Amino acid sequence: MKFTAVCQSGLGTSFMVQMNIENSLNDLGVNMDDFAVDHTDSGSVSADMADYFFVESTLVPALFRIPEEKIVPLKSIIDAEEVKEHVIEILDNNGIAHN
């Protein structure tokens, strides 16, 4: 499964969200070989890049090329717990065991 963090420039913010996703997956004890996590800018994003796209909620309209069910809108890009809650929900919805 692949997660991609998206921000306007594809630099600091999306990289921080990427690290929060990776930390969440590690904390949850999943096999990291089954996951890929990346980051990109909103102008370069395409639907085939990932299974789920984590993005700050005000930037969601910029992802008009991405199916809505693949978008994970974040209220706060700096809230690692919010990211973890979304990761848990995705794992649960996909039947992936975790701690």
Side-chain angles (χ1 to χ4, degrees):
M1 180 175 291
K2 185 165 185 184
F3 299 114
T4 296
V6 182
C7 72
Q8 234 171 353
S9 65
L11 299 170
T13 303
S14 58
F15 182 61
M16 181 179 62
V17 174
Q18 175 185 344
M19 291 188 316
N20 285 338
I21 295 168
E22 290 169 343
N23 289 338
S24 296
L25 290 167
N26 281 318
D27 289 349
L28 294 166
V30 299
N31 183 350
M32 289 301 290
D33 292 337
D34 296 334
F35 295 89
V37 186
D38 202 358
H39 66 280
T40 191
D41 64 281
S42 58
S44 299
V45 71
S46 65
D48 63 344
M49 291 175 75
D51 298 298
Y52 295 95
F53 297 86
F54 285 68
V55 60
E56 197 272 324
S57 60
T58 63
L59 197 56
V60 169
L63 303 185
F64 60 89
R65 297 177 298 262
I66 307 301
E68 185 177 328
E69 64 273 8
K70 294 178 88 170
I71 297 174
V72 180
L74 300 172
K75 294 175 189 159
S76 172
I77 55 170
I78 60 171
D79 187 349
E81 280 304 309
E82 180 186 4
V83 170
K84 188 172 186 176
E85 289 170 12
H86 286 293
V87 169
I88 290 169
E89 181 179 356
I90 290 167
L91 296 178
D92 288 346
N93 289 343
N94 287 278
I96 299 170
H98 58 85
N99 297 333

